[in-house]
Amino acid sequence: MKAELTIQLAHGGGGRLSRDLIQSEIVSRFGNGPLEGLPDAATIPWHCDKLLFTTDSYVVQPIEFPGGNIGDLAVHGTVNDLCVCGGRPKWLSVGLILEEGLPLATLRKVLDSMKKAAADCGITVVTGDTKVVGAGQSDGLYINTSGIAEAIKGFSLSPARITKGDDVIVSGNLADHGFAVLAARKNINISSALKSDTAPVHRLVQALEPFAGEIKFMRDPTRGGLSAVLNEIVENRNINIQLNETDIPFSTCVKALSETLGIDPLHVASEGRIVLICSSQVTDQILHTWKSMPEGFGAQSIGVVDSGKGRVTIKTITGGIRIVDVPRGELLPRIC
Amino acid sequence: MKYIDGFRNPLAAKKIIERIEVLANLLKASGRKVSIMEVCGTHTMAIARFGIRNILPENIDLISGPGCPVCVTEAGYIDAAINLAKAGAVIVTFGDMINVPGSDESLAQCRANGALIEVVYSPSAAIKLARQFPEKNVVFLAVGFETTTAPMPAVIQIAEGEGIRNLSLLTAFKLVPPALKALMTDPELKIDSFLCPAHVSAIIGADAYKPFTGKEGVPCVVAGFEPLDILMAIDGILNQLVRNEASVENQYNRVVKPEGNLKAQALMDEYLQPVDARWRGLGLLPLSGLGLKNEFERFDAEKKHGITVKKGKEPSGCLCGEVIKGKSKPTSCPLFARGCTPDHAVGPCMVSSEGSCAAYYKYSL
């Protein structure tokens, strides 16, 4: 039997093995465009007034999970950060940190996912870097991606614009990603239906262009979930956000796991969703637009902004009202 | 999941709440204010999480009881565990215990200083640790009510069967009925009814509350943990009060039988015996705990290591003892949300995931 091909320290040494790895795995996938010829820096065209620029590192464990892997997550995460700030993603850098002994097959799978995800999002990988560390010095594979986007005209997003009477909308079921990763890590085989929601939100954001001026805030509810995003908005402001428990969309699997494990799904991450706050005049139009798209069919209006003392509250199924607290510390480490 | 959704149906909730309002009005007409004690910490959490307290009519008051095993365990017990850890024992415990303040420090602080303290989710993990550290004394912090106590005989059975000699239990098992008796006879307290625990009742049975009902007694309704369970139980309690009745009602009959779990009771009888026990807030209550029978004293950490659990020093200013008895609401404590938060807890009721103070802090407006 042929031995499994794995990453060796020499793959990061700058010599022939390094060159072979870059040629066969990176250039073959991303080598058309500014990456061609492997210059030290990418030269990229710039035609707009404003650029958006962001970076994020991905250390999710396990590397593969139901519904995705670290590769598409590293593209979607950065693309989504650009999108929810009103950007049209254009260019991406990819930094890989590989651990000696990583199966080459795993790397190939991850890079294939990145290629597919980038093509789907309309973002081009223009520069990158690969490093190898010794066995035991990392955990398989880490990825850093930085992204640049052109600003979509018409958006003027700022939490300071949020006022009484605004509506809170989410683009679909929440918390699937966090629970899928947790279930994969702990070998909880609850259901084949539990998959990460990792996905790009660029189409959802671009579809909002006609109402851009009435949208005051967008965020992808990753670490800390919906609760962290909303609590950050109301902190030190004279506004409250009032949610309606029955309107917040969760999948059956998420509800079951959250009950079983005692984890509040309001604290758990999504990786392909948007939380949006807008003037109530455009709520119905936004819901109508999103619900007609595959990635937005589960969109729901989940609450309203009121004047108050800087609290997020929820009206429960009994009609009683309670606080939605901020998660204590890191609930599920290394979910992205 | 449809199972749970059925117990969270908003329309059904609305109907029960309307009934509760009608009954509360009838009681109000005769000048009655009603105190219902939810005995169990998990009920306290569910009540807070579903916002039930603030939808009840103003003459219906829910007060939290002593049903949080971590909360009723005194500081001296933590001190004893810490002393054993410092003497080189491996301490095995459920998670909530490690942040409970002892007289001087918590198990978490003790662990940070190098002691071997293992957090587990099941008592059987203590067996694994005893096998893993054959050269060390492994001490399981055996704290809990009847529900948590029930699996313990199995652990002793396995240890006996395998000839494991380095495992012992530091027991602080508590029994719910003696605590209810103490609360009912406390002249400073006026409890009109008990919303009785779900899981504890699965072991001891709904009939265990009969002594607290009848002519001199109060309505006792066993309830599940879902919002409709709790609302149905409140409805049942008010119904009895309106009719001047006081009987046991079992709302949670999908799990709880009148006689309880006879197999678990028999196993507990075989290995354990009633002992006097100290409760934070309630003090020493006769025959309110369970300890190992004499023939199993080689598994008794106190006897094996020649130690005695003392009362310990309670944190100054902390009202946990009063909160546990239902005499103070968490928000009446001067430390609540000021000196005492879940991240920097002064008293155990703010530490435990079943503690009243933690429930109020996390969910109350």
Side-chain angles (χ1 to χ4, degrees), chain A residues 169-170 282-292 299-301:
Chain A
I169 298 174
V170 293
V282 292
T283 303
D284 288 343
Q285 288 163 286
I286 289 173
L287 285 174
H288 182 75
T289 306
W290 274 2
K291 279 174 178 290
S292 69
Q300 287 277 1
S301 174

Side-chain angles (χ1 to χ4, degrees), chain A residues 76-330:
Chain A
H76 297 151
T78 295
V79 161
N80 291 350
D81 284 349
L82 293 168
C83 291
V84 294
C85 291
R88 184 178 282 110
K90 299 294 284 183
W91 304 290
L92 191 72
S93 78
V94 177
L96 298 170
I97 295 172
L98 313 177
E99 185 187 10
E100 182 186 22
L102 175 77
L104 203 56
T106 305
L107 178 64
R108 285 176 177 153
K109 206 168 178 182
V110 167
L111 292 173
D112 283 342
S113 299
M114 293 191 88
K115 182 182 174 185
K116 199 168 158 218
D120 180 37
C121 302
I123 198 166
T124 309
V125 176
V126 292
T127 187
D129 178 53
T130 304
K131 294 281 192 306
V132 179
V133 297
Q137 291 171 0
S138 75
D139 202 354
L141 166 60
Y142 299 149
I143 302 177
N144 171 276
T145 55
S146 297
I148 295 177
E150 292 174 350
I152 300 173
K153 287 203 172 110
F155 279 114
S156 165
L157 301 165
S158 162
R161 288 180 59 211
I162 297 170
T163 54
K164 182 181 170 176
D166 289 347
D167 281 331
V168 184
I169 298 174
V170 293
S171 65
N173 282 348
L174 297 176
D176 292 78
H177 176 74
F179 279 112
V181 171
L182 179 71
R185 198 183 296 166
K186 302 282 182 195
N187 284 319
I188 304 169
N189 296 314
I190 180 167
S191 161
S192 56
L194 180 65
K195 286 196 173 72
S196 164
D197 49 32
T198 179
V201 299
H202 63 299
R203 280 181 286 265
L204 290 171
V205 170
Q206 284 159 30
L208 297 176
E209 231 179 309
F211 336 106
E214 298 300 321
I215 296 167
K216 304 185 175 176
F217 175 85
M218 286 193 286
R219 181 71 60 83
D220 50 340
T222 55
R223 280 179 296 174
L226 181 69
S227 141
V229 169
L230 298 183
N231 273 293
E232 201 180 309
I233 293 172
V234 298
E235 201 179 349
N236 301 323
R237 297 274 316 272
N238 292 326
I239 50 171
N240 276 5
I241 291 178
Q242 295 171 355
L243 303 174
N244 229 331
E245 188 172 34
T246 46
D247 292 334
I248 303 175
F250 294 114
S251 72
T252 310
C253 287
V254 161
K255 283 196 224 170
L257 256 188
S258 72
E259 282 305 317
T260 313
L261 302 175
I263 294 174
D264 188 341
L266 295 173
H267 293 170
V268 176
S270 307
E271 287 288 345
R273 301 289 181 234
I274 301 175
V275 180
L276 175 151
I277 297 180
C278 62
S279 141
S280 61
Q281 298 158 25
V282 292
T283 303
D284 288 343
Q285 288 163 286
I286 289 173
L287 285 174
H288 182 75
T289 306
W290 274 2
K291 279 174 178 290
S292 69
M293 303 167 70
E295 54 265 73
F297 76 91
Q300 287 277 1
S301 174
I302 60 165
V304 294
V305 180
D306 199 353
S307 49
K309 294 181 192 166
R311 281 169 164 178
V312 181
T313 63
I314 190 166
K315 190 174 174 191
T316 76
I317 68 105
T318 66
I321 293 171
R322 69 158 167 96
I323 275 187
V324 176
D325 65 335
V326 196
R328 269 183 78 196
E330 188 89 55

Side-chain angles (χ1 to χ4, degrees), chain B residues 64-86:
Chain B
S64 309
C68 156
V70 168
C71 306
V72 296
T73 305
E74 290 187 321
Y77 180 87
I78 303 288
D79 299 342
I82 287 173
N83 288 337
L84 287 167
K86 286 183 175 167

Side-chain angles (χ1 to χ4, degrees), chain A residues 43-86:
Chain A
T43 304
I44 48 179
W46 176 20
H47 302 299
C48 61
D49 288 344
K50 273 192 243 168
L51 291 177
L52 292 92
F53 180 33
T54 188
T55 188
D56 211 340
S57 298
Y58 299 85
V59 298
V60 63
Q61 185 58 25
I63 288 172
E64 294 179 72
F65 44 83
N69 64 41
I70 193 170
D72 38 32
L73 187 68
V75 175
H76 297 151
T78 295
V79 161
N80 291 350
D81 284 349
L82 293 168
C83 291
V84 294
C85 291

